Amino acid sequence: MAPPLSPAILLAVTLLVVVVVAPLLAHGRPLISDGGGGGGGGGGNATTVLRLPSEGMGCEMSYGFLPCTTTAGGNLFLVLAYGFLMFKSATYLSSGSELLLEILGPGIVGGLFLPILGALPDALLILVSGLSGTKEVAQSQVLIGMGLLAGSTVMLLTLLWGSCVIVGKCDLSEESTAIDTRDTKGFSLFGSGVSTDKQTSYAARIMAISVLPFIIVQIPKVFKLQSGLRITVLLGLIVAALLLLSYCLYQVFQPWIQRRRLEYTRLKHVMSGVLKHAQMHAFGRLLDDDGRPNVSVIEKLFHKIDRDNDGRLDRGELQAFIVGINFEGIYSNSNLAADQIMADFDTSRNNCIEKGEFVNAMLRWLNEAKRSVASGTYSKKFLNDFHERTRDEQSLLPDNDEEEEGEADGNPTWTCIKAILLLLLGTAMAAAFADPLVDAVHNFSNATHIPSFFISFIAMPLATNSSEAVSAIIFASRKKQRTLSLTFSEVYGGVTMNNTLCLAVFLSLVYLRGLTWDFSSEVLIILLVCIIMGLFTSFRTNFPLWTCFVAFLFYPLSLIMVYILDYKFGWS
């Protein structure tokens, strides 16, 4: 009998299906020849397979049954509805990617596929914006794709970057380095801020380099050349593809971002085990009926662990407490768990945990568990839900460390199937609703006479990047250099994928469909924000609070600059 397929092989096949088939399903109308029958009257010889005309409404229903309208209010509702569905698809892809990373670990799959899956919703929206209809229709709608590309990049480097600085801010020392978990100076512009490590600055440099294809494509516009436009578009496409491949290979051979996510997952498992054990064996409930932490119970737990009653927990006492925790059959190296708790609790770095540090860390863990579960009920059930979720995640972690003993005996097969279903569902939703969303934005623009670029710049990144933004803010809220480094590294990685994968998709549309490259103002704001923020973050690791307001300022300035250049100086 043939051996059963391993989860790794099954997931690899699924990923290939997701990446290859998704673009084929992403548009809800056929390509129409630019030659005969495309314009004018009522239909020519083109046959519509997935798109049927809506009688008496002056619009077309996507796939023959999805609603459409020509009114501003109706299209606003459709933009919100389809945007929410795209947000859910991005959430499913993100959840599936997390499970995938935990199953297979860092390496080829994590380096090649996970960045592509993260950028898939944006790439599909850009693809459908210029894939269907006549050349004239594509030229009009492709501006929506450029708006999404620019808006996503600017939002990540301004609104999200600044929000992470505010959420993750800590007190700055005399050397201007953030002190983990200590936040006593409030909103001091120069006394509080965040710190990252050197590797995060490397990610920022990669992001700055990734703007090279934009510069190449703009060369004919800068020098006002009348020939060579298609050649520069093709060259920019090739460079974008090579940069994408190089970035993925870098992720494969330097998978430090992926390893950090795995370390955080392991810490969450220890966190959930400690919280559940404390809830069951402490002198009372950790949370009262209103969901507020019970500090007195946490203090009693501290004294229970403090066997020599010296008011401090040393590593031996901590390890003895961890050995007594029932992790329900899932392996847990007590030495590693003690090291993780000591590193997370000991903010004074004196190799012991004082009562104040213990209470503050437990309160932080409880708040983080609430945000992770997001169930709205802060009771014993909420702690059980958090424990169940982290147990499922931990059961999938690769056992690569020699010092770890035992094997995970959860149900990795079921969670492997869950990861596959999440990836397929997210991809199917993104492919199905990308084209209706683009149409709704285009129709809303026509109904309100607001340029489609500004609608897609502001609204569409909220749909495709909200899941990533929430995850980044949760990481930042831990107020530790390591998690903040992971947060900003993923922000820079998201921008890099915009500048490589998403731009490659856009340039492919422009080249293959013979569209006009006329996006000088849009490219200018992408270059300015990426280069300024890239240089600013490439050569420093400490960011006082005032830097977030500079980042915030770039967002409205970008919109104002596009408006002035396009509608006052006639760049469009």
Side-chain angles (χ1 to χ4, degrees), residues 111-369:
L112 290 177
F113 287 105
L114 293 191
I116 295 175
L117 289 173
L120 187 61
D122 284 354
L124 289 177
L125 283 168
I126 291 172
L127 178 66
V128 301
S129 68
L131 187 64
S132 304
T134 64
K135 181 177 178 179
E136 291 73 19
V137 172
Q139 186 69 54
S140 174
Q141 287 200 349
V142 80
L143 190 61
I144 298 175
M146 176 54 72
L148 170 61
L149 179 57
S152 177
T153 295
V154 174
M155 189 196 81
L156 289 174
L157 289 178
T158 59
L159 300 184
L160 181 56
W161 192 93
S163 298
C164 290
V165 171
I166 292 178
V167 172
K169 67 180 179 65
C170 301
D171 296 345
L172 296 181
S173 65
E174 294 181 356
E175 294 79 21
S176 297
T177 302
I179 304 173
D180 285 355
T181 69
R182 183 185 299 178
D183 185 15
T184 61
K185 297 182 180 179
F187 286 88
S188 173
L189 295 180
F190 298 93
S192 61
V194 300
S195 295
T196 61
D197 56 19
K198 282 290 185 182
Q199 288 175 310
T200 307
S201 64
Y202 301 155
R205 294 173 191 176
I206 294 173
M207 176 193 70
I209 295 172
S210 68
V211 302
L212 181 60
F214 284 106
I215 297 175
I216 293 174
V217 179
Q218 279 299 115
I219 289 177
K221 291 289 183 181
V222 173
F223 295 100
K224 298 181 180 179
L225 303 177
Q226 300 301 319
S227 61
L229 295 178
R230 283 179 57 81
I231 296 298
T232 55
V233 170
L234 179 60
L235 182 59
L237 170 60
I238 294 173
V239 172
L242 291 176
L243 287 175
L244 172 63
L245 178 61
S246 300
Y247 180 67
C248 290
L249 291 177
Y250 173 79
Q251 292 277 63
V252 170
F253 294 107
Q254 297 290 332
W256 53 275
I257 296 179
Q258 303 164 50
R259 287 201 177 102
R260 284 179 179 176
R261 295 192 71 90
L262 289 175
E263 289 174 7
Y264 179 67
T265 300
R266 289 190 171 98
L267 176 61
K268 281 203 304 182
H269 173 60
V270 174
M271 185 190 310
S272 68
V274 170
L275 290 177
K276 185 175 182 180
H277 179 85
Q279 177 80 352
M280 296 175 61
H281 298 90
F283 304 98
R285 296 177 57 184
L286 291 176
L287 300 167
D288 59 24
D289 293 334
D290 297 326
R292 291 188 296 266
N294 195 332
V295 176
S296 62
V297 172
I298 296 176
E299 291 178 343
K300 290 177 182 178
L301 177 63
F302 173 84
H303 292 299
K304 180 180 179 181
I305 302 173
D306 183 19
R307 294 186 174 184
D308 57 8
N309 297 318
D310 63 350
R312 299 181 301 177
L313 302 182
D314 57 31
R315 196 179 183 283
E317 291 171 327
L318 196 60
Q319 189 168 353
F321 169 69
I322 292 172
V323 170
I325 295 177
N326 178 17
F327 283 98
E328 299 187 6
I330 297 175
Y331 72 86
S332 180
N333 186 302
S334 60
N335 291 320
L336 178 61
D339 291 339
Q340 288 178 314
I341 295 178
M342 183 67 72
D344 204 47
F345 281 37
D346 182 21
T347 57
S348 61
R349 297 293 180 262
N350 60 352
N351 296 320
C352 64
I353 301 173
E354 300 171 358
K355 185 165 73 171
E357 293 175 329
F358 183 85
V359 171
N360 290 336
M362 288 291 291
L363 293 176
R364 175 161 43 83
W365 277 17
L366 287 170
N367 288 330
E368 188 166 348

Side-chain angles (χ1 to χ4, degrees), residues 414-481:
W414 163 244
T415 313
C416 175
I417 295 174
K418 182 180 178 181
I420 293 174
L421 293 177
L422 285 171
L423 291 174
L424 293 177
L425 178 60
T427 302
M429 290 181 64
F433 296 108
D435 186 62
L437 177 57
V438 170
D439 278 348
V441 171
H442 186 71
N443 293 335
F444 181 74
S445 173
N446 291 335
T448 59
H449 304 291
I450 299 174
S452 59
F453 170 84
F454 294 104
I455 301 173
S456 58
F457 184 97
I458 297 172
M460 293 177 72
L462 296 177
T464 57
N465 293 320
S466 292
S467 176
E468 180 181 351
V470 171
S471 176
I473 290 175
I474 289 177
F475 280 137
S477 65
R478 290 186 58 80
K479 296 181 180 293
K480 297 178 75 69
Q481 184 193 61

Side-chain angles (χ1 to χ4, degrees), residues 11-167:
L11 280 170
V13 173
T14 302
L15 287 171
L16 288 175
V17 172
V18 166
V19 174
V20 174
V21 177
L24 303 178
L25 303 176
H27 58 92
R29 52 196 161 173
L31 280 171
I32 299 176
S33 172
D34 296 336
N45 296 323
T47 58
T48 302
V49 178
L50 297 177
R51 226 172 216 279
L52 297 177
S54 176
E55 296 180 2
M57 295 182 64
C59 63
E60 292 179 311
M61 294 187 295
S62 298
Y63 312 118
F65 63 90
L66 291 181
C68 70
T69 179
T70 58
T71 65
N75 279 296
L76 177 60
F77 173 79
L78 291 178
V79 169
L80 295 176
Y82 293 139
F84 175 75
L85 291 171
M86 289 298 294
F87 162 73
K88 294 301 294 183
S89 74
T91 302
Y92 294 142
L93 285 170
S94 176
S95 300
S97 298
E98 291 289 334
L99 293 177
L100 177 66
L101 177 61
E102 291 158 11
I103 294 170
L104 300 178
I108 295 179
V109 173
L112 290 177
F113 287 105
L114 293 191
I116 295 175
L117 289 173
L120 187 61
D122 284 354
L124 289 177
L125 283 168
I126 291 172
L127 178 66
V128 301
S129 68
L131 187 64
S132 304
T134 64
K135 181 177 178 179
E136 291 73 19
V137 172
Q139 186 69 54
S140 174
Q141 287 200 349
V142 80
L143 190 61
I144 298 175
M146 176 54 72
L148 170 61
L149 179 57
S152 177
T153 295
V154 174
M155 189 196 81
L156 289 174
L157 289 178
T158 59
L159 300 184
L160 181 56
W161 192 93
S163 298
C164 290
V165 171
I166 292 178
V167 172

